[in-house]
Amino acid sequence: MGNSESTAEMHRVFNSAAEAYDQSGVEFFGPIGRRLVEFASIERGQAVLDVGCGRGAALFPAGEAVGDTGEVVGIDLAEEMVRYADADARSRGLTQVTTQVMDGQVPDFPAARFDAVVGSFSVFIWTHGAAELRPYRAILRPGGTFAASAPSFFPTSTGKWGFLPEVVHDLLLPHLTQPKDGDAYDCPFTNIHNNWLVTPEAVGKTLTEAGFVDVTVREEDLPIVVDSGAQWVAWTRSHGMRRLWDRLDEQEARELAAEVAGRLDALRSADGTITLPTPIVYMRARAPQA
C-alpha cells in the first residue's frame, strides 16, 4: 500500500494532468478502455466499479455495456479528473454512470457490492503485490470479475521494456526508475525488473495469492500513431508520464525532449507518420463462488 507521501504525489500528478489528460489527439487510453471492458465481458444490468477512472476511458464503455438497467461507479483520487469525467458522463446522457473522489487503494464500499471491478491503466501504479489487490476481491460478489490493463513490463526479445519505443528506451528508462532525493512516489517503475507485473506467471501467481481464481493474462500490441516525435513527447506530458519531465530542470528537460523527438522522427513512414507498436497487458480473474 502506498504511503501518505506517495499518495499525495499521485494526487498532484494526476490533478495537474487532468485538463490535458487523453486530449492530445493520440489514440491510446480510449482504445485500451474499450478493450478492457470487452475483455472483462461486462454485461447489461451489472454493477461495475471503475478504479482510477481518469477522464472516462473505461468508464463510458462500461456505462454503455451495462445499459440503463445497470450501474457504473467511477472513482479517482484526483478531484479534477472526477470533475471532467462527471461532466462528460452528463453530456453523453449516461445517467447510469456516477463518479466520486476516492482513493482507489482503499475502496470504501460494502462487501459484495459489485459484479465487476475494472482498472484501466490505474491499479498498476500503486499495487506491489497480492495485499493491495485483496480489497477489490472483497467488494466483488461471488463469481464477480476483476479486470485491469497496464503497460507491459514483460521483457522484449532485446531485454527491454516494450512500453517505451526501443530507440528512446535507454534515454527515458533511468528517469522513470531511478529515485531522486525527496522522491516519495513509490511506483512499481522503481523496481521494474522485480515486480508482480514482470511476467504472465507472476501476474497469475499474484492474483491467485490475492484470492482470485480463473486467471487470464494477455499481452496485445496497440499501435500508437503520431505525426512527429514532438507530438509523442507532448503526449507523454499529458498523462502520468509527465512526472518524468517534472523531475528534470528546464534545460535538462528541453535537451532530453529534443533528443527523443529526433530519434523518433527517424522512424517516419512514407506517409509522414510514426507508428509505435506498444504492448499492453490485460488481466482478468474472478472472485470465488460462495
Side-chain angles (χ1 to χ4, degrees), residues 130-162:
E132 289 89 1
L133 296 171
R134 291 189 185 112
Y136 310 125
R137 186 200 64 196
I139 59 178
L140 279 170
R141 294 166 185 162
T145 299
F146 170 77
S149 58
S152 178
F153 289 81
F154 305 165
T156 65
S157 59
T158 58
K160 296 183 177 182
W161 179 35

Side-chain angles (χ1 to χ4, degrees), residues 91 131 136 229 261 278:
S91 69
Y136 310 125
T278 306

Side-chain angles (χ1 to χ4, degrees), residues 26-181:
V26 177
E27 284 288 313
F28 184 72
F29 293 107
I32 293 171
R34 292 191 293 271
R35 176 66 181 121
L36 179 63
V37 169
E38 176 186 55
F39 186 69
S41 299
I42 303 300
E43 298 178 355
R44 184 172 179 80
Q46 288 188 324
V48 178
L49 175 67
D50 182 6
V51 180
C53 65
R55 290 193 55 165
L59 186 71
F60 303 142
E64 292 166 359
V66 302
D68 56 10
T69 62
E71 173 194 16
V72 181
V73 179
I75 61 172
D76 202 285
L77 182 69
E79 298 92 343
E80 286 297 290
M81 290 289 194
V82 170
R83 183 172 70 85
Y84 281 111
D86 183 69
D88 288 347
R90 303 287 77 78
S91 69
R92 292 165 182 251
L94 294 172
T95 57
Q96 65 272 38
V97 171
T98 60
T99 56
Q100 57 184 289
V101 176
M102 184 183 294
D103 186 349
Q105 298 175 89
V106 192
D108 187 16
F109 296 100
R113 169 71 171 80
F114 296 100
D115 297 298
V117 173
V118 300
S120 189
F121 259 58
S122 58
V123 172
F124 82 94
I125 295 172
W126 59 78
T127 52
H128 297 262
E132 289 89 1
L133 296 171
R134 291 189 185 112
Y136 310 125
R137 186 200 64 196
I139 59 178
L140 279 170
R141 294 166 185 162
T145 299
F146 170 77
S149 58
S152 178
F153 289 81
F154 305 165
T156 65
S157 59
T158 58
K160 296 183 177 182
W161 179 35
F163 183 68
L164 290 173
E166 186 158 353
V167 295
V168 297
H169 181 279
D170 294 339
L171 278 176
L172 297 178
L173 191 67
H175 297 290
L176 286 168
T177 61
Q178 293 176 4
K180 293 191 175 184
D181 291 343

